[in-house]
Amino acid sequence: MAFQCQRDCYMKEFVTSVVSCCPAELKQEVGGKKETLKGFNVKLQDTILFPEGGGQPDDHGLIGDVPVLRVTRQGPEAVHFVSSPLEVGQEVQVKVDWERRFDHMQQHSGQHLVTALADTMFGYKTTSWELGRQRSTIELDTPCVKPAQVQALEEAVNEKIRAHVPVTVQLLSIDDPAVEKVRSRGLPEDHAGPIRIIDIEGVDANMCCGTHVSNLSHLQVIKLLGTEKGKKNKTNLIFLAGTRVLKYAEKSYSTEHSLVSLLKTGPDEHVEAVDKLQKSVKLLQKTNLSLLRDLAVLIAQNFKNNPQKGNFFSLHKKEGDNEFMNIIANEINTEETLVFLTVGEEKGPGLFLLAGPSGPVTDMGPRVLEMLQGKGAGKNGRFQGKANSLARRGEVEAFLQQHYKHHTPEEE
């Protein structure tokens, strides 16, 4: 069957009745964490909320005042997941989240148009597509698309938009000979009812279940952002349609305005200015590393030349890396001296190195790791790793000094 959302894609509100309501669970990812929501699966007599399918995400909306969190298709029926139960037989008003719906209509109809003209102009077939949250991707069955072809394709699709080409929906029986003439990537196994054809007059006829604009002029504009290498000798064509192009332009201008303020140059000079900054940063980093290495050698020599140096050396420095610490340890005779080094924020995360006679290092390394809440490993008189917190560094130092006294050179 065809849902009301497929018969009239522009309908924003609809009165229907509840057919069934049963307890259900919805698994979703929120902030990178998987969650399971308890709620109810509701079936309606008919619906204006599109269930996920054909590469198009589902609609959001309301049944009465209850938010619909997911809409899926089960054979000929749409299943609405809601958090609160609804009474069977109850008459309800369904409202669609129109901003989300119209965005999906623009992207989906835009995909049909780009797909059709890519095939007509260059013979590039579409093998799949994805309607993303910020941008959409069409997978073309070709290893590459030249920049001149992207430009020609963009000009052609926007010319069709300006021509106000009608888009109509046809419903055909599955045995209708006309079905054989339309573009299709096949029907789902549980398909039921008539075949739905989206016809862009004089451009394309394609089997599709999704929601679409009624005229190409409603797409406003299509921007082909470029291409990326796809899988198995395919090319991904990235595009925006309609309101997304306007939002992209607004965001781009905002970014450009901020860069003008930061770089003190006009937009045309931003790339050159950033390139110069990157080269300057690389040079400074190189100089800084060289100075840190020299400083590491001086620190070690200063310790060795101290007549009251003892057999324990400890140092913390905010700036530095593993190489900095290892240079100090290499310069100091760690067969006789226990060396404890840390770099990073004083009470935050950082790096650590414990170096010295292999016996004491092996014995005390795991305890140091525990106190610094870190991860690391050791061998051959070296124990080093990452510390999640250097807040207990003073305690570690006291622990090392106390326990190192119990080790004598004979024990090694």
Side-chain angles (χ1 to χ4, degrees), residues 4 51 86 104 111 138 152 156 181 204 221 324 351 375 398:
Q4 183 63 28
L86 294 167
H104 290 174
Q111 177 265 316
I138 297 172
K181 299 177 183 179
D204 181 53
V221 64
F324 171 76
L351 303 172
K375 292 182 179 180

Side-chain angles (χ1 to χ4, degrees), residues 263 265-280:
L263 300 173
T265 62
D268 294 341
E269 299 167 333
H270 284 170
V271 174
E272 183 182 350
V274 171
D275 184 53
K276 286 180 180 178
L277 280 174
Q278 286 182 326
K279 288 176 180 177
S280 296

Side-chain angles (χ1 to χ4, degrees), residues 20-27 36-43 69-70 72 74 79-85:
S20 68
C21 178
C22 58
E25 292 183 344
L26 174 65
K27 293 181 180 179
T36 300
L37 298 179
K38 292 187 180 295
F40 300 86
N41 278 340
V42 173
K43 293 180 182 179
L69 305 178
R70 178 71 57 83
T72 54
Q74 290 181 1
V79 179
H80 310 72
F81 182 88
V82 296
S83 56
S84 304

Side-chain angles (χ1 to χ4, degrees), residues 39 68 107 143 162 242 261 275 290 323 359-362 398:
V68 177
Q107 308 318 308
R162 290 190 294 271
S261 178
D275 184 53
S290 179
E323 185 180 4
V361 169
T362 301

Side-chain angles (χ1 to χ4, degrees), residues 164-239:
H164 291 240
V165 177
V167 180
T168 56
V169 177
Q170 299 178 44
L171 296 177
L172 304 177
S173 63
I174 197 164
D175 56 354
D176 192 314
V179 172
E180 300 297 323
K181 299 177 183 179
V182 302
R183 186 166 52 83
S184 171
R185 294 199 302 272
L187 290 168
E189 291 181 3
D190 61 348
H191 175 80
I195 306 297
R196 188 166 178 266
I197 310 298
I198 305 301
D199 192 330
I200 304 176
E201 188 177 286
V203 178
D204 181 53
N206 182 29
M207 204 179 291
C208 182
C209 65
T211 55
H212 290 270
V213 297
S214 60
N215 191 290
L216 290 186
S217 63
H218 296 184
L219 297 181
Q220 297 172 284
V221 64
I222 286 178
K223 177 61 188 174
L224 303 183
L225 295 177
T227 61
E228 293 176 353
K229 188 176 181 180
K231 56 187 179 182
K232 297 180 181 178
N233 291 321
K234 292 181 172 61
T235 299
N236 294 330
L237 179 64
I238 303 154
F239 77 96

